[in-house]
Amino acid sequence: MTRIVDLTLAIEDNMVSHKNLVKPVLIPHTTHESSKKYGQGTPEDPQTYSTTFLSMLDHTGTHVDAFLHVKPDGLPVDEMPIEMFMGKAVCFDLRHIPDLGTIDVAEMEAAEKQSGVKVDGHIVLLCTGLHKRHWPRESIAYNNAAVTWEATKWLADHGSKLHGVEGPSTDRPTEKTFANHRACRDLGITHYEWLVNLEELIGVGEFHFEGVPLKLKGASGSPVRALAFLD
């Protein structure tokens, strides 16, 4: 039987977000009590309902970056191939990488060997333990590691069109160079940010991953429900 691991951060009102981005709003809109005024259903069996108001940027919580995010003429999320957001995957154990650390080619090669999976078109998820160390404190937005330009090219050279990290970014929050984002732009690949529960994927080898975006017309990214399917 397949076991499903949910890699998605729950969206909450005013939750921690990237330091440069607005926090989401998630509040009650219509309640069962307030909807009584519409008189739906019957006197013997009234039909009340609830709705929730949601306002957030397309790069909030667990999300994927569209090519448009870093490239003016890049594809928006609704025009990217849906097949890109699912497929064989592997999770690298990088929990020894400290806060504000560096994920370079040597780290990728060592983690690949440890995983027992040779990266060949895989979606590669990078577990640094950031979420467990910091969530739900604001410090999580200021301590993620950086994936170097060279490490990003290593992924692309191994056929990986997508990789994913914990926390708000693939680039260190203390720098403005955005090496990974620029590398993704130049190499035609992209990434997921703010994945959770990656520890559950360490040591399992290859698995199936799906992180399908909403079909947001012209958007530069989208929240996703990221799932790992383990045999």
Side-chain angles (χ1 to χ4, degrees), residues 10 22 47 56 58 61 76 113 124 139 157 167 186 196 200 208 231:
V22 176
Q47 176 61 64
M56 56 186 269
D58 51 358
K113 183 177 181 180
V124 179
S139 57
D157 288 345
D186 297 343
V196 300
E200 295 191 42
H208 179 75
D231 295 330

Side-chain angles (χ1 to χ4, degrees), residues 24 27 35 37 39 77 95 108 159 191 198:
I27 57 176
S35 68
K37 64 185 178 184
V77 73
R95 289 176 292 179
M108 290 290 192
H191 52 257
L198 294 183

Side-chain angles (χ1 to χ4, degrees), residues 13-14 28 64 88 119 123 145 147-148 165 184 201 218:
D13 182 53
N14 201 42
V64 67
K88 61 184 180 180
V119 177
I123 296 168
V147 182
T148 67
V165 300
C184 285
L201 304 179

